[in-house]
């Protein structure tokens, strides 16, 4: 399985004239180093014997054959292409398969001999020395090396002998030559780390080709070996170098950029393997055990081959539906560094077509990006609902209590006002007055004394404040003048307060001494007077009294009816307003995605009915917007059950026989209805537009952006499963959004992507491809990399655009690059 | 307008409708109209029919007019009190 390996593939050995290493010490250094892969790149020589020793003594490390050559462009080509060169030659390292050691050395020897260098009976180190200052034409190297596969990595951004020193970049003809050099050869790269980024960027943006940048130690001493290195995502084998060469953006990271940290950040936490028990028709079972990359695992296969089954097993979702094929009870998951367990790890599963379904199922709020935004709003909304329920409860309770209290007072039976026509002489009546309207002297004096006493409490408070003044420390001499002034002030002020206190005590004593018997006398006389007036009025004219009482009673009835109807009206308006507020959208603060796109999440109770829609559900013969009219009629007919029934929907009030039951049921049911403000509608606004109004394609695009927002990384998922995320998305969006997002995130979280799109699998750079297939009636899986021959064929056979994408990828050219 | 019909009964005429005070249903209708908190009722609806010449009948109409005028003068205050009382209950309970 491919993984990021620590590679130092430009270092010199004890066989190179440029270094003075002891061979044994060199071998020990290589063995002890923390490198996973290395290559010996001595100047112009290949020490075959040394390589063999290294292979024998360090079998745990991968070794790739190599050499560093002095290279020049031949004069004929320089003239033909009108090139401007400076210095004689530049440096490049060459990598080849260790199996080609002998072939490569033979080819190189012939090149050396072509320079009239006598290598007979010379040690490798001596030969190396003899080549110092000599150089080979690129065309001759290509001609000599044509019998084996090799990579050529030019010096760039190093101290000397850079390609750009030899062929200056700012000259048009030189640039054109380099373009041809790299564009038509997918096995050339540069070595120079991030310093050379402007060069690779130039190639990507202007010359439509990808150049891989490496960074190695080129160590001058043994201690320096492995200090500068490149993290390369491959299996350490020469033939797999095509993968990082064809997609360096995600496969190659240099230590001058990333340091010692493994680019695969979830190395310690990912699903390493899974074991599934499959059932055969004959009752027997077989196991499928799959190993996974911590990065991107692509799941491919024909329709119905078991891809989604694997997705569901990984996501621990709807496994019971597959009981015919697998035994859900025995599925085992193995996390990195742990044993197999029955429990599935924490994961996020985006099922097929579920992006569009999230709206239909109101599941938008469950997307990790949306969740915290929604939860904040949900809390605010829930508080609002509680407030609403509380208020509605009070309003309806008040309305009901008033209704029933007025019924008790018989205000629903209209008074006959024909008494008005009676001939009553009111002239003899003495006007009544109320005892409470007259001044009560005793109460008045009590209030005054209390006020005076309060003044005394105030004085005590002031005195306490004076006592609590901060003390001045006289050891600070400069404070002593202040101390005297403050001391005098405190003394004078306390005297003032004592005088006030004495004054208050005196006045209270004086007040107590005054004879209050006249006050009590007046009170008893007034009481007597009120009684006398009532008695006289009664005795004088009983009919007049009856007239006045009737008049007051009838008028009171009208006043109370007005009040009751006002309450009906106000409760109605108040609840309608509360519902309007409740239904209002609550919007989150804007969140930026993709640098310049704004996402806002809103929550509302859009589907919550109006108050009128709620209560009219229980009424019969209700005319729109006439709540208080309907209610006042109920009020007037309350005492006649037959009349009362005509106002209520009988289906909702079965077995209701009394007026009180009608009223109780009505208010209880209504309140229960109003409490059901639960289902929130969540909307997503993308650049101020409601995403729901977008076409399915655009909607999927935005939702994918949101789903795969980096916030998902905060959620501690071991892995993310996407089932055919490319559905409903156009090709451009697959590349621009889905693939680029997966490429960016797969170094931080493990991905399982079920897909029919070659672009997703190949350009997304799946490190591990799982092919699901039917073997007779059995579901089987096999796995490998996109360069493995059996998987390559499955990609071609199964994926849309499989062959085209594979060829483009392995030939390195990314046609999307440089479009701008 | 308050007037007396041929049967010497008091009638309130308003908006092409006649409310006989002594008729229970018509009186109820009149009260429903008068006590509607959404209706701003002008006291002139209880003006006495100028065509009435009989002083006794006029005096009866006058008594009704006084009764209804008295109610109308208190109606706004009643509405205000009901609103305040409701508000107080909601805020304090």
């Amino acid at each position: 399985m491919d993984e990021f390996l620590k590679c130092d593939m430009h270092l010199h050995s004890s066989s190179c004239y440029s270094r003075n290493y002891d061979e044994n010490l060199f071998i020990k250094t290589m063995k002890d180093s923390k490198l996973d892969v290395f290559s010996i790149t001595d100047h112009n020589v290949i020490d075959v014997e040394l390589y063999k020793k290294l292979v024998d003594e360090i079998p745990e490390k991968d070794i790739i054959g190599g050499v560093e050559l002095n290279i020049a462009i031949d004069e004929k080509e320089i003239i033909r292409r009108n090139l401007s060169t400076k210095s004689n030659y530049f440096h490049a390292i060459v990598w080849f398969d260790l199996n080609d050691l002998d072939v490569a050395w033979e080819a190189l020897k012939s090149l050396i001999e072509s320079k009239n260098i006598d290598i007979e009976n010379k040690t490798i180190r001596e030969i190396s020395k003899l080549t110092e200052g000599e150089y080979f034409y690129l065309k001759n190297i290509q001609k000599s090396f044509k019998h084996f596969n090799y990579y050529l990595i030019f010096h760039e951004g190093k101290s000397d002998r850079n390609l750009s020193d030899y062929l200056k970049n700012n000259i048009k003809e030189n640039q054109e030559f380099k373009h041809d050099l790299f564009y038509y050869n997918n096995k050339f790269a540069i070595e120079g780390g991030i310093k050379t980024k402007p060069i690779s960027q130039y190639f990507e943006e202007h010359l439509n080709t990808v150049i891989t940048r490496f960074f190695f130690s080129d160590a001058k001493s043994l201690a320096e070996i492995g200090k500068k290195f490149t993290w390369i995502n491959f299996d350490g084998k020469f033939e797999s170098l095509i993968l990082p060469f064809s997609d360096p953006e995600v496969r190659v990271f240099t230590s001058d950029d990333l340091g010692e940290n493994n680019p695969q950040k979830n190395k310690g936490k990912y699903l390493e393997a899974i074991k599934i028990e499959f059932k055969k028709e004959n009752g027997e079972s077989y196991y499928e055990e799959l190993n996974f990359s911590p990065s991107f695992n692509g799941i491919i296969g024909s329709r119905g081959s078991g891809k989604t089954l694997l997705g569901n097993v990984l996501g621990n979702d709807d496994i019971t539906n597959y009981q015919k094929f697998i035994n859900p009870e025995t599925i085992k998951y193995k996390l990195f560094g742990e044993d197999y367990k029955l429990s599935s790890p924490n994961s996020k599963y985006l099922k097929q077509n579920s992006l569009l379904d999230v709206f239909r199922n109101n599941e938008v709020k469950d997307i990790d990006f949306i969740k915290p935004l929604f939860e904040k709003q949900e809390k605010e909304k829930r508080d609002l609902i509680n407030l609403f329920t509380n208020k509605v409860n009070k309003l309806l309770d008040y309305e009901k209590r008033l209704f029933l209290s007025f019924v008790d007072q018989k205000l629903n039976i209209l008074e006959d006002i024909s008494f008005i026509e009676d001939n009553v002489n009111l002239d003899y009546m003495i006007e009544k007055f109320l005892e409470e309207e007259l001044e009560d002297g005793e109460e008045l004096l009590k209030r005054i004394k209390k006020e005076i006493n309060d003044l005394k409490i105030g004085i005590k408070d002031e005195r306490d404040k004076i006592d609590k003044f901060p003390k001045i420390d006289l050891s600070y001499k400069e404070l002593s003048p202040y101390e005297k002034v403050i001391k005098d002030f405190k003394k004078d002020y306390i005297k003032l307060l004592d005088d006030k206190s004495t004054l208050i005590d005196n006045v209270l004593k004086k007040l107590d001494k005054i004879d209050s018997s006249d006050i009590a006398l007046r009170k008893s006389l007034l009481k007597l007077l009120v009684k006398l007036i009532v008695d006289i009025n009664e005795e004088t004219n009983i009919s007049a009294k009856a007239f006045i009482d009737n008049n007051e009673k009838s008028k009171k009835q009208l006043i109370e009816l007005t009040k009751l109807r006002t309450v009906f009206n106000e409760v109605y308006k108040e609840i309608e307003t509360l519902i309007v507020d409740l239904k209002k959208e609550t919007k989150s603060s804007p969140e930026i995605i993709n640098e310049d796109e704004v996402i806002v999440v809103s929550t509302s109770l859009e589907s919550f009915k109006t108050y009128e829609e709620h209560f009219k559900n229980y009424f019969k013969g209700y005319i729109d917007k006439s709540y208080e009219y309907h209610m006042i009629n109920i009020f007037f007919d309350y005492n006649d059950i037959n009349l009362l029934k005509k106002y209520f929907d009988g289906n909702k009030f079965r077995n209701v026989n009394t007026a009180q039951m009608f009223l109780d049921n009505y208010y209880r049911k209504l309140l229960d209805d109003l409490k059901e403000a639960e289902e929130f509608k969540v909307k997503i606004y993308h650049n101020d537009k409601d995403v729901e109004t977008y076409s399915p394609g655009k909607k999927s695009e935005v939702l994918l952006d949101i789903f795969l927002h980096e916030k998902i990384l905060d959620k501690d998922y071991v892995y993310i499963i996407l089932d055919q995320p490319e559905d409903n998305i156009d090709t451009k969006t697959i590349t621009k959004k889905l693939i680029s997002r997966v490429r960016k995130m797969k170094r931080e979280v493990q991905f399982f992507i079920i897909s029919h799109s070659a672009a997703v699998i190949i350009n997304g750079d799946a490190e591990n491809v799982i092919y699901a297939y039917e073997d007779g009636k059995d579901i089987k899986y096999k796995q490998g990399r996109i360069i493995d021959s059996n998987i390559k064929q499955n990609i071609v056979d199964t994926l849309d655009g499989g062959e085209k994408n594979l060829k483009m990828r392995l030939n390195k050219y990314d046609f999307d690059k440089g479009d701008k | 307008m308050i007037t007396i019909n041929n049967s010497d009964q008091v009638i309130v005429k308003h908006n092409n409708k006649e409310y006989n005070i002594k008729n229970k249903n018509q009186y109820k209708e009149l009260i429903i109209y008068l006590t509607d908190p959404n209706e701003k009722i002008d006291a002139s609806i209880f003006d006495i029919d100028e065509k009435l010449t009989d002083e006794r009948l006029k005096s009866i109409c006058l008594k009704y007019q006084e009764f209804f005028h008295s109610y109308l003068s208190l109606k706004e205050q009643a509405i205000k009190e009901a609103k305040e009382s409701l508000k107080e209950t909601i805020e304090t309970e």
Side-chain angles (χ1 to χ4, degrees):
Chain A
M1 188 95 51
D2 289 349
E3 61 179 322
F4 278 100
L5 299 174
K6 210 175 194 181
C7 309
D8 188 354
M9 288 158 67
H10 181 176
L11 54 91
H12 297 268
S13 76
S14 45
S15 305
C16 185
Y17 79 88
S18 64
R19 304 292 187 272
N20 288 312
Y21 301 154
D22 171 77
E23 187 180 285
N24 289 332
L25 212 54
F26 173 72
I27 294 171
K28 187 178 182 311
T29 303
M30 294 320 297
K31 188 171 176 63
D32 293 346
S33 79
K34 288 179 179 169
L35 295 167
D36 300 305
V37 185
F38 65 87
S39 177
I40 310 296
T41 51
D42 291 334
H43 283 296
N44 306 316
V45 290
I46 301 163
D47 190 339
V48 177
E49 292 311 311
L50 177 63
Y51 263 112
K52 286 177 181 169
K53 273 189 205 169
L54 286 164
V55 170
D56 284 345
E57 294 194 27
I58 322 175
E60 68 276 16
K61 293 189 196 291
D62 284 302
I63 304 170
I64 285 173
V67 62
E68 181 169 8
L69 297 177
N70 302 339
I71 302 177
I73 310 297
D74 62 285
E75 281 153 24
K76 205 169 157 189
E77 185 73 353
I78 289 172
I79 294 164
R80 191 176 74 82
R81 300 292 297 254
N82 196 19
L83 302 177
S84 301
T85 60
K86 202 179 168 191
S87 76
N88 298 334
Y89 60 88
F90 60 96
H91 276 169
I93 50 173
V94 182
W95 295 331
F96 50 86
D97 194 325
L98 270 194
N99 292 324
D100 290 326
L101 261 180
D102 294 315
V103 184
W105 179 223
E106 286 306 317
L108 181 55
K109 274 199 288 191
S110 70
L111 272 177
I112 296 168
E113 284 167 339
S114 73
K115 306 298 287 187
N116 295 322
I117 296 170
D118 180 14
I119 62 172
E120 202 66 32
N121 300 321
K122 302 279 191 311
T123 65
I124 299 293
R125 190 177 168 84
E126 286 166 346
I127 299 170
S128 171
K129 179 67 183 167
L130 289 171
T131 63
E132 189 179 4
E134 295 290 345
Y135 54 85
F136 312 106
Y137 288 133
L138 181 61
K139 71 169 188 183
N140 291 341
I141 293 170
Q142 289 171 313
K143 202 171 160 187
S144 295
F145 287 8
K146 69 182 176 190
H147 298 300
F148 63 97
N149 279 325
Y150 64 93
Y151 288 90
L152 206 52
I153 297 94
F154 304 105
H155 271 203
E156 275 296 5
K158 293 172 70 94
S159 56
D160 64 347
R161 301 293 176 191
N162 295 315
L163 175 64
S164 293
D165 297 333
Y166 179 77
L167 276 173
K168 289 286 176 200
N169 285 326
N170 53 1
I171 297 163
K172 188 172 162 265
E173 289 80 1
N174 286 5
Q175 280 179 358
E176 284 171 356
F177 177 78
K178 282 187 192 177
H179 166 250
D180 293 349
L181 191 68
F182 285 100
Y183 191 89
Y184 295 110
N185 198 316
N186 62 0
K187 290 185 177 178
F188 287 177
I190 55 174
E191 182 201 350
I194 51 168
K195 271 198 290 186
T196 57
K197 206 170 180 180
I199 295 174
S200 59
Q201 259 172 358
Y202 176 81
F203 271 85
E204 283 174 16
E205 288 167 15
H206 301 278
L207 303 180
N208 275 3
T209 191
V210 175
I211 288 190
T212 313
R213 282 183 287 107
F214 292 105
F215 188 60
F216 302 117
S217 71
D218 194 7
K220 302 288 183 286
S221 68
L222 291 176
E224 282 179 28
I225 289 175
K227 296 283 185 225
K228 294 173 185 172
F229 57 89
T230 301
W231 289 106
I232 305 177
N233 189 352
F234 75 136
D235 63 356
K237 307 288 180 251
F238 173 81
E239 66 268 19
S240 304
L241 279 169
I242 188 68
L243 288 167
F245 265 82
S246 59
D247 199 350
E249 188 186 41
V250 289
R251 292 245 181 187
V252 179
F253 294 92
T254 55
S255 66
D256 59 342
D257 191 9
L258 224 59
E260 286 282 342
N261 304 321
N262 192 311
Q264 193 66 43
K265 292 176 186 165
N266 64 334
K267 275 281 291 180
K269 189 184 167 191
Y270 68 96
L271 184 69
E272 198 177 10
I274 197 167
K275 204 184 267 183
I276 310 167
E277 184 186 0
F278 280 85
K279 294 175 183 171
K280 279 176 170 287
E281 269 191 351
N282 62 9
E284 290 174 3
S285 63
Y286 63 98
Y287 289 89
E288 282 288 309
E289 187 171 9
L290 295 165
N291 296 309
F292 302 125
S293 158
S295 186
F296 173 11
N297 300 276
I299 302 170
I300 65 169
S302 315
R303 295 187 198 278
S305 58
K307 303 187 299 297
T308 299
L309 182 151
L310 183 55
N312 283 16
V313 165
L314 289 164
N316 195 22
D317 189 284
D318 286 344
I319 302 176
T320 45
N321 293 348
Y322 292 101
Q323 277 182 342
K324 191 181 157 197
F325 307 103
I326 57 168
N327 182 355
E329 308 297 322
T330 58
I331 300 167
K332 286 180 183 169
Y333 304 82
K334 185 184 181 309
L335 287 178
F336 175 78
E338 295 181 15
D339 293 330
Y340 269 114
K341 284 177 187 163
L342 289 171
S343 56
S344 65
N346 183 25
S347 65
K348 186 77 179 175
Y349 188 10
L350 183 70
K351 292 160 87 173
Q352 192 179 3
N353 291 322
S354 57
L355 271 184
L356 295 178
D357 285 343
V358 292
F359 276 113
R360 280 193 282 274
N361 305 335
N362 205 14
E363 288 167 351
V364 178
K365 55 183 183 289
D366 297 327
I367 298 175
D368 291 300
F369 178 87
I370 303 291
K371 216 169 190 170
L373 302 175
F374 168 73
E375 280 171 354
K376 190 167 173 281
Q377 288 172 30
E378 188 193 28
K379 197 193 165 306
E380 286 169 15
K381 214 75 179 169
R382 291 253 174 251
D383 291 346
L384 202 66
I385 289 173
N386 287 340
L387 207 69
F388 166 79
T389 314
N390 194 13
K391 269 194 169 181
V392 165
N393 200 4
K394 279 183 183 176
L395 286 163
L396 292 180
D397 182 57
Y398 184 83
E399 181 181 301
K400 185 185 163 190
R401 278 193 288 120
L402 197 68
F403 186 109
L404 290 172
S405 133
F406 281 15
V407 168
D408 278 352
Q409 295 172 54
K410 299 192 169 34
L411 291 168
N412 60 332
I413 302 163
L414 277 176
E415 295 287 336
D416 177 5
I417 59 165
S418 54
F419 67 87
I420 286 174
E421 295 175 29
D422 293 351
N423 274 323
V424 177
N425 189 348
L426 299 174
D427 295 344
Y428 296 110
M429 302 292 286
I430 300 173
E431 200 176 337
K432 258 203 308 189
F433 63 90
L434 293 172
E435 205 180 326
E436 300 85 63
E437 288 168 0
L438 301 168
E439 188 68 80
D440 182 336
E442 283 173 356
E443 282 299 316
L444 178 71
L445 279 174
K446 260 189 212 167
R447 286 206 306 274
I448 290 170
K449 281 181 186 175
K450 191 186 173 297
E451 292 291 329
I452 295 171
N453 261 318
D454 286 349
L455 289 175
K456 204 167 175 184
I457 293 165
I459 291 166
K460 192 181 172 307
D461 290 345
E462 279 192 69
R463 176 116 199 196
D464 288 348
K465 274 185 191 165
I466 292 281
D467 289 343
K468 283 175 188 165
F469 265 28
K471 288 213 168 57
I472 292 177
D473 184 349
L474 289 174
S475 56
Y476 296 89
K477 282 186 179 167
E478 70 279 12
L479 294 176
S480 61
Y482 297 95
E483 200 268 343
K484 185 174 178 339
V485 174
I486 291 164
K487 196 175 170 188
D488 290 346
F489 164 74
K490 281 168 77 176
K491 195 178 149 198
D492 294 347
Y493 200 82
I494 288 168
K495 189 177 176 312
L496 209 63
L497 293 176
D498 288 345
D499 290 348
K500 276 191 190 179
S501 188
T502 311
L503 184 67
I504 289 170
D505 291 342
N506 289 341
V507 80
L508 286 172
K509 275 179 201 162
K510 276 183 192 170
L511 287 172
D512 286 342
K513 276 182 190 167
I514 299 171
D515 179 9
S516 62
S517 55
D518 283 351
I519 294 171
L521 181 64
R522 177 180 287 276
K523 199 175 173 182
S524 62
L525 286 174
L526 279 172
K527 209 169 189 173
L528 201 63
L529 181 63
V530 169
K531 189 175 180 311
L532 270 174
I533 292 170
V534 171
D535 292 348
I536 290 167
N537 275 345
E538 266 184 26
E539 284 168 20
T540 310
N541 196 334
I542 288 169
S543 62
K545 183 182 176 295
F547 179 89
I548 290 167
D549 285 350
N550 282 336
N551 196 294
E552 277 176 11
K553 202 173 163 190
S554 302
K555 218 184 294 168
K556 188 190 169 207
Q557 183 174 42
L558 298 194
I559 295 292
E560 299 295 60
L561 285 173
T562 307
K563 286 183 177 175
L564 181 63
R565 296 180 72 178
T566 304
V567 167
F568 289 146
N569 221 9
E570 291 304 303
V571 168
Y572 170 86
K573 283 197 279 188
E574 187 72 23
I575 296 179
E576 281 288 21
T577 310
L578 287 172
I579 289 176
V580 169
D581 285 346
L582 197 65
K583 282 162 71 89
K584 267 183 197 160
E585 269 188 307
T586 314
K587 289 189 173 178
S588 71
S589 51
E591 293 280 334
I592 307 292
I593 58 164
N594 302 328
E595 292 178 357
D596 57 352
E597 293 170 46
V598 179
I599 293 288
V600 169
V601 176
S602 91
T603 308
S604 68
L605 287 158
E606 203 176 63
S607 59
F608 195 64
K609 290 185 286 186
T610 63
Y611 182 47
E612 188 169 48
E613 282 167 336
H614 274 98
F615 65 66
K616 77 194 245 188
N617 197 28
Y618 297 104
F619 289 156
K620 207 158 62 182
Y622 174 80
I623 303 157
D624 282 349
K625 296 181 181 169
S626 64
Y627 180 70
E628 71 83 21
Y629 179 77
H630 197 80
M631 288 306 287
I632 200 65
N633 279 294
I634 290 176
F635 180 71
F636 281 132
D637 292 338
Y638 188 79
N639 294 348
D640 186 334
I641 189 74
N642 291 323
L643 287 176
L644 190 66
K645 277 180 182 171
K646 72 180 180 192
Y647 297 104
F648 292 97
D649 181 345
N651 291 327
K652 308 258 171 22
F653 296 87
R654 291 184 191 281
N655 303 320
V656 173
N657 309 314
T658 66
Q660 174 83 39
M661 278 171 81
F662 266 111
L663 212 64
D664 284 346
N665 277 8
Y666 164 67
Y667 279 110
R668 183 176 46 74
K669 284 168 190 268
L670 183 60
L671 190 63
D672 286 348
D673 278 2
L674 290 165
K675 280 180 182 170
E676 278 174 15
E678 291 293 329
E679 191 62 30
F680 295 114
K681 171 85 181 163
V682 183
K683 278 187 181 174
I684 299 173
Y685 290 94
H686 172 251
N687 293 339
D688 288 335
K689 284 184 194 134
D690 182 357
V691 172
E692 229 174 329
T693 62
Y694 281 171
S695 67
K698 180 74 181 164
K699 203 186 282 182
S700 300
E701 180 187 333
V702 176
L703 288 171
L704 196 68
D705 270 336
I706 292 169
F707 181 84
L708 287 181
H709 190 271
E710 58 194 20
K711 280 188 180 172
I712 201 170
L713 300 174
D714 301 336
K715 288 288 164 185
D716 216 27
Y717 295 128
V718 177
Y719 49 84
I720 295 167
I721 311 149
L722 309 177
D723 190 353
Q724 297 182 47
E726 70 272 14
D727 287 356
N728 296 313
I729 309 179
D730 60 59
T731 314
K732 194 178 165 195
T733 309
I734 291 174
T735 306
K736 202 175 142 196
K737 295 283 171 75
L738 176 64
I739 295 175
S740 68
R741 212 45 83 83
V742 170
R743 285 164 66 87
K744 200 173 163 191
M745 293 170 79
K746 68 175 185 161
R747 287 194 288 118
E748 305 201 37
V749 67
Q750 189 176 26
F751 272 96
F752 292 92
I753 304 181
I754 300 163
S755 182
H756 285 286
S757 160
V760 172
I761 300 293
I762 295 163
N763 297 345
D765 190 40
E767 277 88 347
N768 180 32
V769 178
I770 299 147
Y771 174 64
Y773 64 103
E774 286 171 284
D775 182 13
K777 288 187 175 174
D778 298 336
I779 291 171
K780 292 277 179 71
Y781 299 97
K782 63 179 177 180
Q783 60 186 106
R785 298 171 305 164
I786 58 170
I787 52 166
D788 295 339
S789 57
N790 57 342
I791 292 293
K792 258 200 283 199
Q793 191 57 50
N794 298 140
I795 287 172
V796 170
D797 292 344
T798 325
L799 300 186
D800 304 328
E803 187 165 358
K804 187 189 87 179
N805 276 278
L806 203 55
K807 281 180 176 168
M808 278 169 67
R809 162 74 192 265
L810 298 181
N811 284 307
K812 181 168 95 169
Y813 309 122
D814 182 350
F815 291 104
D816 192 40
K817 289 243 159 49
D819 273 357
K820 64 188 169 186
Chain B
M1 179 180 74
I2 305 181
T3 188
I4 305 284
N5 68 4
N6 295 335
S7 314
D8 276 1
Q9 288 174 319
V10 179
I11 305 289
V12 176
K13 284 185 175 176
H14 181 61
N15 279 352
N16 302 322
K17 272 189 177 176
E18 287 191 3
Y19 305 97
N20 184 337
I21 303 282
K22 293 235 169 97
N23 179 307
K24 208 175 163 186
N25 281 334
Q26 287 185 23
Y27 177 59
K28 183 177 144 191
E29 267 187 57
L30 176 64
I31 294 310
I32 285 177
Y33 173 68
L34 288 180
T35 57
D36 184 346
N38 301 313
E39 284 288 346
K40 209 152 182 100
I41 295 161
D42 196 287
S44 64
I45 78 159
F46 296 112
D47 285 352
I48 295 164
D49 188 355
E50 288 175 356
K51 288 176 193 156
L52 282 181
T53 48
D54 184 328
E55 286 304 318
R56 187 184 66 84
L57 295 178
K58 268 168 85 174
S59 127
I60 290 172
C61 289
L62 191 64
K63 285 178 185 176
Y64 279 106
Q65 186 190 51
E66 278 174 7
F67 175 78
F68 287 122
H69 275 179
S70 174
Y71 161 69
L72 287 180
S73 70
L74 298 168
K75 185 181 175 187
E76 280 309 308
Q77 182 60 25
I79 292 170
K80 197 177 157 202
E81 279 174 18
K83 284 181 182 176
E84 279 170 1
S85 181
L86 176 69
K87 199 177 164 200
E88 204 177 307
T89 310
I90 302 309
E91 284 170 2
T92 57
E93 265 182 36

